[in-house]
Amino acid sequence: MPLYLLPLLPLLGFALLMLLPKAFPGKTGGWLASGTVLAAFIIALTRYLGLGGTPDQETVIANWLPNMALGKNLSVGFYLDQLSSVMTLIITGIGFLIHVYSVSYMSHDAKFTRFFAFLNFFVSMMLILVLADSYPLMFVGWEGVGMASYLLIGFWFNGRNSEASDRDVREASDREAVANSNAARKAFIMNRIGDLGFMLGMFLLYKLYGTLNIPELAARVEGASVVQAGIELACLFLLVGAVGKSGQLPLTTWLPDAMAGPTPVSALIHAATMVTAGVYLVARSNFLYDLAPNASMWVAWVGALTALYGALSALNQHDIKKILAYSTVSQLGYMFLAVGLHSYSAGVFHLLTHAFFKALLFLCAGAVIHALHEEQDVRLMGGMRRFMPMTHLFSLMGVLAIAGIPIWSGFFSKDAILAAAFDANPLLYLIGLGVAFLTAFYMGRWYFLVWRGTYRGHVAHPHEADPIMLAPLGILAALATLGGFLNIPTFLGGNHAFDSFLSKAVPVHAHEIAHSTELILTLLAVGAGLGGLFWAWTEHRRGLLAHGPLGRTSAAALYLNDLYDGLFSNPSRGVAYGLDVVDRGVDGTVGGIARSASGTGTAFTWWQSGFVRAYAVSMLLGTALMVGYWALKTIGMGGGQ
């Protein structure tokens, strides 16, 4: 089956649901959208199983963006190798589970069909991004997921209860509408900064090598003399694009605010689509970053510092989804740390395991929010395991996975990243190990506040999620628990299975670490996870964090939003206000002139009555005046002689 069917199927679902919404009453639109993604997953799985050592490249349009002056053109084509194959399975597999979950979660929403149309569009654009055989086509998908995120983050742009009879409910809905709209705009604008970097990187690469087709560019870079400064600069530009799309420092503040959208959107953005695009861009451009050590080190340090920032910010948040959002910021930092150290397989493997446990955690959070009638404050939860035993069990699996506890998936992928950091730079390793400790703490705190202790909520009888929501949670819990075994050493040769598979698409750099040292590193990582969970347990009993300076700083997300407001938002608002005053003054002056002219015109409108007799009288009077004028003038001239 041709590769173009992968993005085409969900794109057709989007078109049908948008153009013919009344043809899909009830939940049929949701099942149609789910079916298109399932079909895409089946195709992706088929192509994955049939993938050999040689990548599959298929041209769809031979001539795209032709440049007759240079005698060159760029084709539209799709490229499937081991890296893009893994990405297609993540996007369609996790995406399908989120679609199914959403059929129940969004069942009472008035814009149910439109929601699934946007989800299909999101999946389609992400598939274009990862399958593109050129940077310009990748940029089409890049911009597409940006547009889809804008539509879905701001999906409730008019609030959910804008027509409620109760005034307080209406006012709360209006505040929610403003917050949702602002979050969507913030994501859209901050991503444009990253997009500029992506474009500059493309322009420079084309200037250096005359092509943007990725396989052809890789061949030219390998066969030509390296322009070191140019490669470094191009990789830095691409890093700017990746930072914007994946919510890394300094363009990270949009990602926590993206929680304004429905919870399935949060799961899709954070686990399977948009924010992983930056990691994919660096991994796909490995042939460039391998030749750019300075840019690569920038990638690693940006990732390490972002991982630390996200972990510190998550320590004392109170929104059940925002804790997970800052967690995503931090875990993406781990991925950037790995790919920046040229450990591409470790970064991509953590991307895979993160998709399992983060989608699981977000959807479990959505089930809790659903049961508590849209309550998201973890301080108003507690003891939910009694009401939602299955969701509680699945949440526990996700927490153990992200905390890096053996045998759960996060243990395997995080351990590989820490080993790469230890081999490259001791300081990067210490930051990574500290982040592992903080991760276990804030996720343990999340678990204890939601599921343990006494119930503090306002809903009398919270209910367990229905089977349509529980089924995806069960599958994701199994993947979060067992997914790490995809990279255990094989019996033949002792190579790691996932690393061996991915080595056909990206270079796998072996780390020179003794087995005894590797064992110590593993024990330290596990100790960090267990220590963080123990701290969370003691914090749950004593509650000291919220009252200290660390708690206040964490609750304010290290004041980064306040810093940006002071440096950019407030000055720009001041300039806008000043220009508005000037504009109003100019409008007032011009308006005054216009009103004067309008008054004069009004005074003469009585001449334009529309009656012929009035016009005849006017002509007669005018003629009499003219004759009288000339008669008086003639008499005057005669008297003068």
Side-chain angles (χ1 to χ4, degrees):
M1 286 177 279
L3 289 175
Y4 66 78
L5 286 179
L6 278 164
L8 181 61
L9 287 172
L11 190 61
L12 286 175
F14 162 74
L16 286 172
L17 294 174
M18 287 299 292
L19 296 175
L20 303 170
K22 294 183 179 179
F24 304 98
K27 296 181 180 180
T28 54
W31 291 119
L32 171 70
S34 303
T36 62
V37 180
L38 176 60
F41 172 74
I42 293 171
I43 295 173
L45 183 61
T46 303
R47 296 301 298 258
Y48 163 80
L49 295 174
L51 193 62
T54 304
D56 296 332
Q57 189 169 5
E58 298 176 4
T59 300
V60 179
I61 303 174
N63 294 305
W64 181 53
L65 299 180
N67 190 331
M68 301 306 294
L70 297 177
K72 300 175 181 178
N73 66 75
L74 188 67
S75 63
V76 174
F78 294 117
Y79 182 82
L80 187 75
D81 62 358
Q82 285 72 16
L83 175 59
S84 54
S85 181
V86 168
M87 294 299 296
T88 58
L89 289 172
I90 294 172
I91 295 164
T92 56
I94 304 296
F96 169 67
L97 295 176
I98 294 172
H99 273 69
V100 171
Y101 176 96
S102 302
V103 171
S104 175
Y105 189 88
M106 299 295 293
S107 59
H108 300 294
D109 197 281
K111 297 182 289 186
F112 178 86
T113 302
R114 181 183 298 181
F115 176 79
F116 279 93
F118 291 165
L119 285 188
N120 264 194
F121 181 72
F122 209 157
V123 170
S124 177
M125 291 299 105
M126 191 64 191
L127 287 169
I128 290 175
L129 191 157
V130 300
L131 288 170
D133 69 347
S134 66
Y135 285 114
L137 184 57
M138 184 188 294
F139 192 69
V140 171
W142 191 273
E143 290 299 291
V145 295
M147 174 57 71
S149 68
Y150 173 77
L151 295 172
L152 287 167
I153 293 170
F155 184 74
W156 286 323
F157 65 90
N158 57 350
R160 282 173 284 183
N161 299 292
S162 57
E163 299 179 359
S165 57
D166 187 273
R167 180 180 177 182
D168 293 337
V169 174
R170 244 187 355 263
E171 290 178 351
S173 179
D174 292 342
R175 290 193 296 271
E176 178 193 43
V178 172
N180 294 347
S181 300
N182 287 340
R185 284 194 292 267
K186 186 175 183 179
F188 193 80
I189 292 169
M190 294 194 78
N191 270 275
R192 300 292 73 74
I193 300 172
D195 294 348
L196 176 62
F198 193 160
M199 288 191 291
L200 291 174
M202 286 195 294
F203 298 156
L204 182 54
L205 288 172
Y206 190 82
K207 177 69 174 177
L208 291 174
Y209 296 103
T211 184
L212 290 173
N213 182 278
I214 296 173
E216 185 179 343
L217 178 62
R220 293 191 185 186
V221 169
E222 183 180 357
S225 57
V226 176
V227 184
Q228 190 64 39
I231 288 286
E232 293 276 8
L233 185 57
C235 287
L236 287 174
F237 281 142
L238 293 179
L239 173 60
V240 173
V243 160
K245 195 63 72 179
S246 293
Q248 300 293 283
L249 288 174
L251 303 177
T252 191
T253 55
W254 71 267
L255 189 51
D257 290 352
M259 297 303 95
T263 302
V265 174
S266 305
L268 194 61
I269 290 176
H270 286 247
T273 54
M274 182 172 172
V275 296
T276 61
V279 181
Y280 175 78
L281 174 62
V282 177
R284 174 53 72 205
S285 307
N286 63 83
F287 58 92
L288 297 173
Y289 282 94
D290 280 347
L291 300 174
N294 295 321
S296 295
M297 194 51 62
W298 271 96
V299 175
W301 275 104
V302 165
L305 294 177
T306 304
L308 183 60
Y309 165 78
L312 289 172
S313 299
L315 294 179
N316 196 36
Q317 296 295 322
H318 305 303
D319 187 304
I320 188 173
K321 290 204 299 180
K322 191 155 283 192
I323 296 170
L324 300 178
Y326 281 110
S327 168
T328 298
V329 170
S330 183
Q331 297 302 306
L332 286 166
Y334 265 133
M335 299 173 209
F336 271 78
L337 172 61
V339 296
L341 297 175
H342 301 162
S343 187
Y344 303 108
S345 60
V348 175
F349 188 55
H350 194 58
L351 187 155
L352 173 66
T353 61
H354 178 262
F356 296 155
F357 58 69
K358 188 52 62 69
L360 171 63
L361 289 167
F362 265 115
L363 297 184
C364 286
V368 173
I369 294 169
H370 200 63
L372 295 179
H373 299 177
E374 310 308 320
E375 179 59 67
Q376 295 186 202
D377 193 331
V378 292
R379 294 169 296 185
L380 301 177
M381 297 179 185
M384 291 296 292
R385 71 186 190 280
R386 297 195 302 273
F387 307 109
M388 308 176 72
M390 293 302 297
T391 306
H392 162 248
L393 177 62
F394 298 148
S395 295
L396 180 60
M397 299 300 103
V399 170
L400 293 174
I402 194 174
I405 305 301
I407 58 171
W408 283 268
S409 60
F411 161 74
F412 294 93
S413 57
K414 197 176 296 184
D415 190 60
I417 294 174
L418 292 176
F422 179 84
D423 189 51
N425 188 308
L427 184 54
L428 288 174
Y429 169 75
L430 289 176
I431 293 174
L433 187 64
V435 170
F437 174 72
L438 295 175
T439 300
F441 167 75
Y442 66 70
M443 286 310 306
R445 173 179 174 270
W446 180 91
Y447 169 77
F448 286 118
L449 283 173
V450 175
W451 299 105
R452 311 296 291 188
T454 58
Y455 177 60
R456 303 177 297 275
H458 301 306
V459 178
H461 301 288
H463 57 83
E464 178 63 278
D466 63 31
I468 295 178
M469 294 170 66
L470 285 175
L473 296 182
I475 296 172
L476 289 169
L479 292 171
T481 302
L482 303 174
F485 290 98
L486 293 171
N487 201 30
I488 60 172
T490 57
F491 293 105
L492 299 176
N495 296 320
H496 290 76
F498 186 83
D499 291 348
S500 298
F501 172 76
L502 208 62
S503 65
K504 300 179 179 66
V506 298
V508 176
H509 301 280
H511 304 297
E512 301 297 330
I513 302 176
H515 289 296
S516 57
T517 304
E518 192 169 358
L519 178 60
I520 293 173
L521 295 179
T522 300
L523 292 175
L524 287 174
V526 174
L530 293 174
L533 292 175
F534 178 74
W535 181 25
W537 178 71
T538 58
E539 172 65 21
H540 177 64
R541 298 184 64 187
R542 298 179 182 179
L544 301 177
L545 177 67
H547 306 293
L550 177 61
R552 291 191 294 272
T553 304
S554 174
L558 279 60
Y559 301 101
L560 188 60
N561 269 307
D562 298 318
L563 176 64
Y564 287 174
D565 283 343
L567 291 177
F568 305 110
S569 300
N570 293 334
S572 63
R573 276 193 288 266
V575 171
Y577 177 76
L579 293 175
D580 181 62
V581 171
V582 172
D583 185 58
R584 289 175 185 272
V586 171
D587 282 350
T589 303
V590 175
I593 297 172
R595 284 189 293 273
S596 298
S598 175
T600 305
T602 302
F604 285 95
T605 55
W606 65 274
W607 289 99
Q608 304 296 322
S609 64
F611 296 105
V612 175
R613 60 179 179 273
Y615 297 151
V617 171
S618 299
M619 292 173 63
L620 180 61
L621 290 175
T623 303
L625 288 173
M626 291 178 63
V627 169
Y629 169 77
W630 285 108
L632 290 173
K633 187 175 182 180
T634 302
I635 294 171
M637 290 176 64
Q641 291 178 347

